[in-house]
Amino acid sequence: MALDAAAADLLFHTAQTANTFSDEPVSDEQIRAIYDLVKWAPTSMNSQPLRIVLVRSPEARERLVAHLSSGNQAKTRSAPLAAIVAADVDFHDNLPQVFPHLPTARDIFAEPAFREYSARFNAALQIGYFILGIRAAGLAAGPMTGLDADAIDREFFADKPLRTLAVINIGRPGENAFRPRHPRLDYDQVISAL
């Protein structure tokens, strides 16, 4: 591997989903550094449909918590930072900027259902990159999909073409942050060749 052992541990081997966080704040500078790293990761046609909404104010946090499953509410309420990660279903409007060598790129996504599928798929890829970026910054991520995405869309994105995919709590791990690590599938269970 080109990645050294310490980096592999930080990103994969020892990294886990955090369930509790310390009180140490997460700064805008930290989030900017994370984004400036992960924005280079690939999406199809360089579409970049992920939108990240940082939920910092106590009022906004309570509005978000109301739409999370009961097992996720306390985690999000106490995390230093929560981020709503969503897919922009009008990402194609940015294709002239991000995919300039094909002037007709926007037209490929004229059909709304295909455009939304592409937005959700590519934003999900970017969520994975974002989680790795959080880890690369020495922080822990607590991604969650136990939520009412439609309600969050109505609450936060009523006038925007965004579709909630998950919420990610971000910060330094707190006390008893990690559960015992679960097993992973073996190579032969996942990889095959034709």
Side-chain angles (χ1 to χ4, degrees):
M1 298 294 295
L3 199 63
D4 70 35
D9 284 347
L10 179 68
L11 298 178
F12 297 103
H13 295 138
T14 61
Q16 290 184 255
T17 296
N19 292 293
T20 67
F21 295 90
S22 75
D23 292 336
E24 184 179 334
V26 176
S27 70
D28 288 336
E29 292 77 20
Q30 287 171 299
I31 297 300
R32 181 175 296 276
I34 291 165
Y35 177 72
D36 285 342
L37 173 66
V38 302
K39 71 182 179 184
W40 299 108
T43 53
S44 64
M45 295 181 68
N46 200 31
S47 57
Q48 305 171 62
L50 181 66
R51 301 297 178 262
I52 302 167
V53 178
L54 304 177
V55 183
R56 291 199 178 275
S57 76
E59 298 79 20
R61 186 74 62 103
E62 286 306 313
R63 288 171 47 213
L64 174 60
V65 165
H67 303 298
L68 301 179
S69 65
S70 59
N72 290 334
Q73 290 180 347
K75 294 184 228 181
T76 299
R77 191 174 276 125
S78 63
L81 180 61
I84 302 169
V85 287
D88 181 352
V89 296
D90 284 346
F91 70 90
H92 66 315
D93 290 335
N94 293 318
L95 288 175
Q97 174 189 352
V98 299
F99 207 67
H101 66 281
L102 182 61
T104 60
R106 186 184 184 284
D107 301 337
I108 294 169
F109 297 97
E111 202 276 309
F114 175 63
R115 188 171 66 244
E116 182 160 344
Y117 166 80
S118 185
R120 287 177 177 274
F121 177 82
N122 284 284
L125 289 176
Q126 290 184 281
I127 290 169
Y129 305 143
F130 185 56
I131 291 168
L132 289 175
I134 291 167
R135 292 174 174 182
L139 300 171
M144 302 176 303
T145 56
L147 49 80
D148 184 338
D150 292 335
I152 293 172
D153 291 349
R154 287 190 300 273
E155 183 76 32
F156 291 93
F157 307 135
D159 59 342
K160 297 181 174 91
L162 303 182
R163 304 294 179 267
T164 300
L165 299 177
V167 169
I168 302 175
N169 295 323
I170 304 168
R172 300 251 181 237
E175 192 172 322
N176 300 314
F178 306 112
R179 296 188 180 113
R181 187 153 209 153
H182 295 298
R184 299 301 191 260
L185 295 175
D186 291 330
Y187 179 93
D188 292 332
Q189 292 177 278
V190 176
I191 308 295
S192 60
L194 300 175

